[in-house]
Each structure stands twice: as structure tokens, then as C-alpha cells.
Amino acid sequence: MNAARFFALIAILGVAVACVGYAFPAINFLLAVALSKGLAVLGLVMMMRAGLVSFGQGLFYAIGGYTAGILSHLYKVHEASLLIGAAVLLSTGLALVVSFLIARYRDIFFAMLTLALSMILYGLLVKSAALGGTDGFNVKSITFLGMPIGGTARYSSLLVVLGFALGGIVASYVYSRTAFGRLAEGLKENEIRVEYLGASADLIVRISYVGSAVLAAIGGALAGILVGHVDPEMAFWATSGEFVVIAVLGGSASLITPFAAALVLEFVRSYATQYAPNTWQLVLGVIIFALILFLPAGLAGLHKRRKHAKTTVGA
Amino acid sequence: MSSLLAVLIDGVMHAAWLFTIAVGLTLIYGVMKILNMAHGSFYAFGAYCCATALGQYFAAGLPPMGAFLAIFMSALIGGILLGLIVERGILRLFGGRDPIVMLLVTYALFLVLEDAIKLIWGVDPYIVGEPLGLLGVVKIGTLVYPGYNFLVVVVAVLVCVVLTSFLQQTAYGKILRAVIHDPEVSSTLGINVTRWSLVAFITGSVLAALGGALTAPTISVVPGMAVEVVVMMFAVVVIGGLGSIPGTIIGALVVGLVRSAAVHFWPEVELFSIYAVMALVLVVKPKGLFAGMELRKI
Amino acid sequence: MEPAIRTRNLMKSFGAVVAARDVNVDILPGTISGLIGTNGAGKTTFINMLTGYLRPDSGSITLDGTEIVGLTSREITRLGVARSFQIPQLFNTLSAIESLELALAAQQARGLRGFALVSEDELEARAVELLKEFGLEGFANSLAGTLPEGIRKLLDIAIAMARSPRVLFLDEPTSGVAAEEKFAIMDRVIAAARHTGLTVLFVEHDMEIVRRYSDRVLAFFEGRVLIDDKPDVVLSDTQVRTLIIGEEPAHA
């Protein structure tokens, strides 16, 4: 898809979501939560494009949530742009350090190590009495550039989250058109060849990891503000697992479908937890089985994905 | 001094428990190259089977010592059934997929089993503590332990001895080692890799169920017990090096001792300590303590 | 003239198997050398050492006078060395033209330039040039994973050539390819090499190809250089004929 059409498409989608939110206030909260989760999933998708699956995306989701939470709760900073800025800085720093450890790993080793790292944070948060332990704590009276968000200000919250989601999509789109972004898809296919082209596979893994961490942290900070609460569950591996499920559902061929998948899942969940609380995970599991078996395209990032045939050459 | 001794004993007991379950994970990974994210659910399934079996057993008023037979039989039957159904019914469908896709498949399996367990046994806890009292207490210095805790150690040692001698000293063990080493070459040598995969998977499933069954009397059996277990088992096999039995022993001991030290001296870092040690091991030895290097051929 | 590649006392063993024993080779710039030897003679190991995939146990390798032992394959690639593989190393789910675009983009994937947008038009234009040079125009939009073996070999080489290297190593460029296609592949590759004054070393089992395309031939046996001379001399050497080509000794 060329750039002009892509930007037109996301502009239209952005306006559409804003309109739907305006017309149906009852779903604003759900939409906003789905979009903030979608940001974390978008990060995951960017990694999948480089052939990596993280089972620890919750680590940075929680970092984002807790950064926003701690700053507002303990240091009385209530401006969301500052909170999110801090979340971005902190997640970048942490991801940079961690990336040197994990860049050596691929496949299931990468998946497991990211999982274990998120469990380190979980273990710390659960036992930290100052941060409310297992219960977490509340995040209240947040404003974005002076406008109240979170709590009952649901439509303005939705617009803010929507802005960040669109920003995340644009940033990911631009990155995928840089040299590193291009090489990332080669990495998924054939790492030896990438190294023999003079590019560093580990460096590309590190860049993908940091980028993905930042997206997750923004998502986490926004989710914390929206829900008005953060707790260690954000770092728990089941949260990361849910992100993986959404990413698989959306596939990694598009930067927009992760958000759509997050939305679908939030809707299904809001009904399932109400009417069939003990079969929600079962349904989720069966959906994954079916996707892998029948729709490998939904699994695009893990298997095959291809843009349409490009320019014809010569004959 | 006595606290050091306590750390050591608790650590070894915990390690024995970890080993019994983790070695199943190792075996499945070794033969099938599948990292089973549902391994914790097999453990939980074993615990529930055991809870049901013990409930029935004591309700029938049979001689108390026979309860141990009930524990083992429930694990054996439950493990075999579950392993058979999962391997034949589900994993077969996904044969030949990438390891990372199989990781997702077993994650989906974990989700399904979580709810399946709730559907079968409901969400109320099961408490079957009777066998705990049957083996009396053991005194070591000033420390007092239920004799039942040593049963877990005995089982772990037995599992280790049986598995190792089977692999090292029998003809079938030799075949299994060939499969672990290189499934493709093995199948060209006429080894029925499919059958060995089933055997390995069921054995792994029985071991996880056994771990669960042995644990059932010591805890209240509740939904969600699978979750913590599976990540801890990952730590064990990663520290030791995936697919290595000696590695699993070392991994279990490291995690067991670190955790018991943390519980005694600094309880706040209990969970954290395990994964921190794991990260530390990986910084020094990226493939775990016992794994060989895999160089891709070009 | 200073050699483009010079190895001195190169040693490498895997356990009891010696893959390189005191290998001393000089390859002059702009020449095309064939490398022959039986399976296990150490030909691929030699290329793997020259390109940093394996590190020699001891000895030295210089590229235009610069020591390269200890550098990674990535660093050596950046110095202007490229290689193709016995099993082509392709991006199977990308089309041929996308693979070449990716290979071209790799030159920019370093430091801050890696974060700059790549020029899609420029990449495409240069990828088309490469396709034409290797006669791959007809496969531009086919997925690399679906191509026939001969085309895969050519694409592998074209990808290697994307960085405009000074030295090119080809590991069995015609193995697994139908006999009638072998010459077509070599014609393309050697023409491209001569065109740019590239230094080439290729591993080959087909003696007819070796004779036709090499300026010089190196014969390896059990990790040693048996002989290193003009094609006619090497191919008529008695030891080469018995040990490598596998003819019955001398009653011809």
C-alpha cells in the first residue's frame, strides 16, 4: 500500500472511531481499553515481523501503568503527557539494558526469557507493600493538557487514547520503511543471510524490542489512567499471553488489525465473563487452535505473509 | 546453624518436587522439541484426579495406608489418559509446525485445560490432607518435618534413577536417545519417531500428574494452581539447559535452594529471586548450564 | 601485485578431523579461481573461515593486506567480501525482487542511517538492474521459496552481489542443478564478475566448469593444498587425477 493511501485509511478509521464513540457513549470505555491494549499488541506485532514472539509484553505494559500510577499517586503529577513521557523514558531505558541480554535468543528461548523477565517484575510488585502488593492502587484525577481524562470523562479519554493509537500506527509504519525495518523481515526468514549482508541481526532485534517496549508502556500508562487502577496482574504472564492471542488473531500483515482484534476480544470478553465465566479461556484456546489450523494467514507473522505482487519487471 | 540446615532440607525437598514435574517437561522437549506451556495444567489435572480418588477412597472406609496407592494410581491413570488424548487428539493435528507455533498451540491447550478443569471439578477448593498424617514426623536436630515430605524426595530420586538407567542402559533407551539427538536421522534409520513421541509425551504427562497428585494432600486444590507452576518449571529447565536430564537436576536444586533461602532470610524476594538467578545464569551461560551449542549448518 | 586474499599457515580441526592443515594461498585481485577437492577436503570450511563464519585454530588471513581473523562475518562483509552458499540462503517468503531490495537496503542498515527512510524507487530500480544482470527478470515476483534450484542459486549470488563486493566466494554454485543449466549459471556469474573486476573463488565438482571458467585452480586434499596452478596443469596432475577426480592410476 502506498503512503498516501495508508494515511488516508488511518485518518478515515480515526474519524470513524471518534464518531462511533460519540454516537454510543456506552462503549467508550471498552473502545478505549481495547485501543490501549492494541498499542501493546502493536509492539508485539512489530517484533513478530522480525520473527520474534514475546511472552513478556506485560513487563512493559506494567512499567507504563506503574510509572503513571506512582508519579500521580506518590508525586502528585496529574498531567498525562508527563506521565506518558516518563513511561516512555523508563521503558526505553529498561528495554535497552534488557535487550543486551535477550538479543542473543530466538524462537522459544526468546519467548521464555521475556516471560521470565516479566515474572521478575510481577514477583517484585506482588511483594511491595508500598505499592499495594497484590491489590495495586488507584490512579485518579488525571488530566491531558488540562482536560480531565479517566474516570467518568470517557469520551475525552477515548479521543486521547485514539490519538496515541494512531500515533503508534504511524510510527510503526514509518519504521517499517527504514533500512532497519526492512531488514527485520529478512531476519525472520534467514538470519545468516542478514549477517552476510553486513547487517547486525542482534542490533535489529534490540531495536525491535525497545520499540515494542515503548508501545507497550504507552498502552499500559493509558490503561492505568482509563481504569483508574494498576495492579501486578499487568505484569503477569497471563496478560502477556492475552496480548499474544490478540496478535495471533490480528495477524501481523497489517498494523491496523491488532487494534481490531483487541476490540473483538474485549467485546467477546465483556459478554463471556458475564454469561459464561468458566468457559471464556476455553473459547479463547479453541479460537487459537482454529486459527493455526485453518487460517495460517491470521498467523501471518509466524508463518508467511506477503504483500501483493509488486511492479512487473521486463517481460 | 539450624536455619542453614533448614534452608538446605527445605531446598532439597522443594528441588525434588520441582524435578519430578520439570523432568517431564524436559523429556517432552527433548523428544518432540515442544515446550509444553500446558505442563502446569497436567500438574493441576493430576492434583484434581488425586483429590477425587482420595475423597472416594476415604469415603469408602478402606485401610488408610492404601491411600498412597490411590495417589499413585490416580496420577498414572489421569496422566496416561490426558497425555493420550492431548497427543493423539490435538498435537498430532499440528505435526511439523515451527517450535514457536507449537508454543502457541500448547498455550491454547493451557487455556482450554484451565477451563476444562473448572467444568469438571467446579471452582470450590478440594482439601484431602489425610495422607499427610499417615507417615508420622521426622526429627532432624530441632527441626520437625512431616514424614510425607520425604516421600516426595524418595519419588524424585526413584524417577531420576529409573529414567537415567533406562536411557543409559537399555536398548530402548539408546533408541530414545537417538530420537532426542536427531529425530530426522532417527526416522531414516527406521525408528518409529511418532511412537516414541507418544511415549515421551505420556511419560511427561504422567510425571506432571504425579507431581500434582503428591502435592494435592499438602495444599487446597483450587483453580489457577497451574499458572505459577509452569513458569517455575520454565526457570528450572532454562537454568539447567533445555532437554538435558542432568541439567534438570541442577536446575531443580538451584531453584529449590535459592527459593528456600529466600523464604528463610528475605521472604519479600521469594518469586523475584528465582527469576533473577535464572537471568544471571543466562548472562553467563546463554544456553543454560548443560546444553550443547547448536551451530546451524551452511 | 598484492594479493586480494592471502592465507598463511591456516589450521582448523574438528575433534580428530583436520579440515585445514597449513593452508597458504594467495589470490590475486581480479582473478577467478576454482577450488576442487573431494567431499570433506575442507573446501567449505575454507570459505567459512575466509568469511568469518568459523574462526581458524591458528594462522592468518588478510584481505588487501588487512588481517581479518577474528572479525565476524558481518564485519568481513562490510569490508567488501560476499559469498553464496551451497544451500542457497534466501528469504523464502519474499519475492525475488523484494529479496534484492532488502539486500540493497542492508547497506544502509547501520548506525543512524538505519533509521532513515529508504528510497523505495531507488531500491526498486537497482533491484531491477540486478535481476537483469542475472537473467532473473521473469522471476521478479515469484516467491524465493517456490523457485527451481538453478534460479535459487542465481538469486543467492545476485543477493550477495547487491553490496557490490570486491571479493566473491561461491560455494558450489552449480550443485543440484541440471547439467544443461550449469553453464548458463556460470556464464552469467563470470560475465558479471569480469565486468566489475571482481575477485572470485568458487568451489566446484564439475571439472569441465573448472577448466572453462578458472584462471587458476586450487586442489584441496584432506585439509591441505595439493597443488595450486593453471587449470590445465592442475587437471592433468597425476595426484589430482587419482585422488580427486578419481581415475584409475596411469595406464591411460
Side-chain angles (χ1 to χ4, degrees):
Chain A
M1 195 181 321
N2 69 42
R5 279 174 60 193
F6 180 80
F7 286 113
L9 176 65
I10 63 160
I12 292 168
L13 283 173
V15 172
V17 173
C19 291
V20 169
Y22 188 75
F24 304 98
I27 61 165
N28 281 352
F29 179 69
L30 201 138
L31 275 177
V33 169
L35 289 177
S36 52
K37 282 188 179 176
L39 272 166
V41 177
L42 181 64
L44 209 52
V45 163
M46 292 309 285
M47 260 194 286
M48 281 182 175
R49 288 187 165 192
L52 299 163
V53 176
S54 163
F55 257 92
Q57 190 71 337
L59 171 63
F60 295 103
Y61 193 64
I63 292 278
Y66 271 79
T67 306
I70 290 170
L71 282 179
S72 65
H73 191 65
L74 298 179
Y75 298 96
K76 310 298 170 205
V77 179
H78 296 295
E79 173 51 44
S81 52
L82 293 178
L83 300 177
I84 291 169
V88 168
L89 282 181
L90 198 66
S91 58
T92 306
L94 182 68
L96 264 178
V97 174
V98 171
S99 73
F100 281 91
L101 172 62
I102 61 142
R104 292 183 281 190
Y105 297 92
R106 302 290 182 269
D107 294 328
I108 53 173
F109 299 93
F110 183 88
M112 281 168 52
L113 195 56
T114 49
L115 186 156
L117 288 169
S118 71
M119 290 304 287
I120 292 184
L121 180 66
Y122 176 77
L124 282 176
L125 293 177
V126 166
K127 299 280 179 175
S128 63
L131 297 177
T134 343
D135 295 333
F137 57 91
N138 289 338
V139 183
K140 273 190 263 176
S141 38
I142 306 296
T143 56
F144 182 75
L145 307 178
M147 167 180 77
I149 57 169
T152 50
R154 292 195 161 161
Y155 188 61
S156 32
S157 306
L158 172 63
L159 291 183
V160 170
V161 177
L162 180 62
F164 277 99
L166 295 179
I169 294 176
V170 170
S172 304
Y173 178 77
V174 170
Y175 174 70
S176 68
R177 299 198 145 206
T178 65
F180 285 136
R182 285 300 281 267
L183 264 291
E185 30 176 352
L187 193 61
K188 184 185 71 187
E189 284 294 318
N190 194 332
E191 190 167 332
I192 289 183
R193 185 37 109 184
V194 167
E195 288 275 326
Y196 269 106
L197 286 169
S200 165
D202 286 2
L203 177 63
I204 294 165
V205 170
R206 289 206 293 275
I207 293 169
S208 305
Y209 185 71
V210 173
S212 140
V214 169
L215 289 170
I218 297 175
L222 288 169
I225 293 168
L226 284 172
V227 180
H229 184 83
V230 290
D231 63 39
E233 282 294 308
M234 294 178 90
F236 198 55
W237 75 295
T239 306
S240 304
E242 189 185 314
F243 292 146
V244 174
V245 173
I246 299 173
V248 169
L249 194 65
S252 68
S254 154
L255 298 171
I256 296 161
T257 48
F259 292 92
L263 208 58
V264 170
L265 216 65
E266 282 304 309
F267 271 106
V268 176
R269 183 218 306 277
S270 70
Y271 287 102
T273 46
Q274 216 171 332
Y275 298 110
N278 291 335
T279 50
W280 157 242
Q281 297 190 93
L282 197 143
V283 171
L284 217 53
V286 172
I287 290 175
I288 303 178
F289 284 146
L291 277 172
I292 297 177
L293 261 188
F294 304 113
L295 279 181
L299 257 179
L302 300 176
H303 256 301
K304 290 186 198 329
R305 75 183 187 82
R306 211 42 266 150
K307 308 177 240 181
H308 307 291
K310 292 186 61 167
T311 28
T312 45
V313 182
Chain B
M1 189 56 222
S2 76
S3 73
L4 269 186
L5 187 65
V7 167
L8 198 67
I9 296 173
D10 286 350
V12 170
M13 284 175 175
H14 190 53
W17 176 80
L18 288 167
F19 174 80
T20 309
I21 304 162
V23 76
L25 196 63
T26 297
L27 198 65
I28 293 173
Y29 178 79
V31 175
M32 307 174 77
K33 304 292 175 274
I34 291 174
L35 187 66
N36 184 17
M37 282 197 122
H39 207 65
S41 312
F42 291 21
Y43 160 86
F45 187 78
Y48 271 103
C49 285
C50 174
T52 302
L54 286 179
Q56 298 288 327
Y57 188 85
F58 286 110
L62 297 164
M65 277 301 172
F68 294 102
L69 192 66
I71 292 176
F72 286 104
M73 290 311 288
S74 63
L76 193 65
I77 296 170
I80 290 177
L81 270 180
L82 185 64
L84 196 68
I85 293 170
V86 167
E87 211 275 345
R88 278 289 152 114
I90 298 173
L91 296 184
R92 270 302 146 82
L93 299 176
F94 301 93
R97 305 283 182 128
D98 288 347
I100 191 76
V101 176
M102 292 312 291
L103 192 70
L104 276 176
V105 169
T106 60
Y107 178 67
L109 181 64
F110 156 78
L111 293 174
V112 169
L113 287 177
E114 280 295 276
D115 277 354
I117 286 174
K118 282 187 216 156
L119 291 177
I120 299 173
W121 281 284
V123 291
D124 297 329
Y126 285 70
I127 295 166
V128 282
E130 294 90 339
L132 264 189
L134 295 174
L135 294 178
V137 292
V138 175
K139 285 188 188 152
I140 302 173
T142 54
L143 304 165
V144 182
Y145 292 91
Y148 186 86
N149 290 10
F150 289 91
L151 178 67
V152 181
V153 179
V154 172
V155 168
V157 171
L158 273 178
V159 166
C160 181
V161 168
V162 169
L163 266 181
T164 313
S165 46
F166 173 79
L167 280 170
Q168 298 300 331
Q169 282 157 21
T170 65
Y172 282 130
K174 208 173 165 185
I175 295 176
L176 194 56
R177 275 188 293 148
V179 177
I180 290 172
H181 185 69
D182 192 334
E184 277 175 41
V185 171
S186 312
S187 74
T188 60
L189 293 173
I191 298 172
N192 189 338
V193 175
T194 319
R195 184 181 303 154
W196 281 105
S197 295
L198 182 63
V199 170
F201 195 82
I202 288 179
T203 311
S205 152
V206 167
L207 287 168
L210 182 60
L214 285 169
T215 310
T218 67
I219 57 170
S220 67
V221 180
V222 286
M225 61 186 283
V227 175
E228 296 166 32
V229 172
V230 69
V231 262
M232 212 178 297
M233 295 308 150
F234 281 171
V236 171
V237 295
V238 166
I239 288 173
L242 264 180
S244 151
I245 290 181
T248 311
I249 301 173
I250 300 295
L253 282 171
V254 170
V255 173
L257 290 170
V258 164
R259 188 175 184 197
S260 93
V263 169
H264 276 267
F265 301 122
W266 195 7
E268 287 79 18
V269 301
E270 182 194 338
L271 252 183
F272 169 78
S273 64
I274 297 170
Y275 302 107
V277 166
M278 184 185 109
L280 207 66
V281 166
L282 289 176
V283 169
V284 185
K285 285 240 172 189
K287 294 247 166 185
L289 295 173
F290 272 75
M293 273 292 287
E294 313 159 6
L295 254 187
R296 198 170 136 187
K297 293 184 195 82
I298 53 174
Chain C
M1 195 166 22
E2 189 182 5
I5 294 280
R6 161 174 283 180
T7 73
R8 284 296 173 266
N9 310 322
L10 217 49
M11 306 285 267
K12 180 75 190 176
S13 49
F14 301 100
V17 182
V18 181
R21 200 190 306 256
D22 250 336
V23 176
N24 296 296
V25 168
D26 286 341
I27 297 171
L28 295 180
T31 59
I32 294 178
S33 314
L35 175 55
I36 61 172
T38 49
N39 287 328
K43 304 181 299 290
T44 297
T45 302
F46 186 55
I47 289 188
N48 282 345
M49 288 191 290
L50 292 175
T51 57
Y53 188 75
L54 290 175
R55 195 190 171 121
D57 296 338
S58 64
S60 125
I61 304 170
T62 56
L63 171 72
D64 294 331
T66 313
E67 180 65 46
I68 56 167
V69 167
L71 299 187
T72 61
S73 47
R74 175 172 73 244
E75 290 161 333
I76 294 173
T77 304
R78 287 175 181 170
L79 292 174
V81 176
R83 73 172 288 184
S84 75
F85 299 81
Q86 198 175 336
I87 303 159
Q89 298 291 321
L90 304 177
F91 305 113
N92 282 334
T93 63
L94 301 192
S95 69
I97 189 163
E98 284 167 336
S99 307
L100 289 170
E101 285 175 7
L102 198 155
L104 290 161
Q107 296 180 61
Q108 208 184 304
R110 206 182 159 181
L112 286 178
R113 282 187 72 205
F115 291 108
L117 288 173
V118 293
S119 158
E120 306 274 338
D121 294 341
E122 194 189 317
L123 283 189
E124 191 177 318
R126 289 177 57 202
V128 170
E129 271 174 42
L130 273 170
L131 284 173
K132 284 186 177 148
E133 187 161 13
F134 286 88
L136 296 168
E137 303 98 310
F139 300 97
N141 295 319
S142 313
L143 296 188
T146 64
L147 296 172
E149 187 64 12
I151 302 300
R152 286 172 63 82
K153 291 270 188 187
L154 271 174
L155 182 57
D156 194 39
I157 299 169
I159 288 174
M161 290 287 283
R163 273 193 91 102
S164 317
R166 291 180 290 159
V167 178
L168 176 65
F169 298 116
L170 304 170
D171 195 355
E172 304 201 11
T174 70
S175 67
V177 175
E180 61 274 18
E181 282 179 57
K182 292 189 177 201
F183 291 99
I185 290 180
M186 289 307 286
D187 281 341
R188 290 280 181 190
V189 176
I190 300 302
R194 295 273 189 223
H195 182 64
T196 52
L198 193 62
T199 309
V200 178
L201 174 74
F202 68 99
V203 173
E204 186 53 69
H205 285 293
D206 186 321
M207 295 305 150
E208 193 43 46
I209 286 181
V210 173
R211 185 190 307 278
R212 190 183 300 191
Y213 296 100
S214 326
D215 301 325
R216 254 179 76 213
V217 177
L218 304 169
F220 270 38
F221 185 71
E222 293 180 348
R224 283 178 299 122
V225 181
L226 205 57
I227 180 171
D228 169 4
D229 213 319
K230 292 204 160 28
D232 290 339
V233 181
V234 173
L235 295 177
S236 53
D237 181 86
T238 334
Q239 273 192 306
V240 170
R241 298 192 78 89
T242 52
L243 294 175
I244 298 174
I245 305 177
E247 290 175 358
E248 291 300 312
H251 52 82

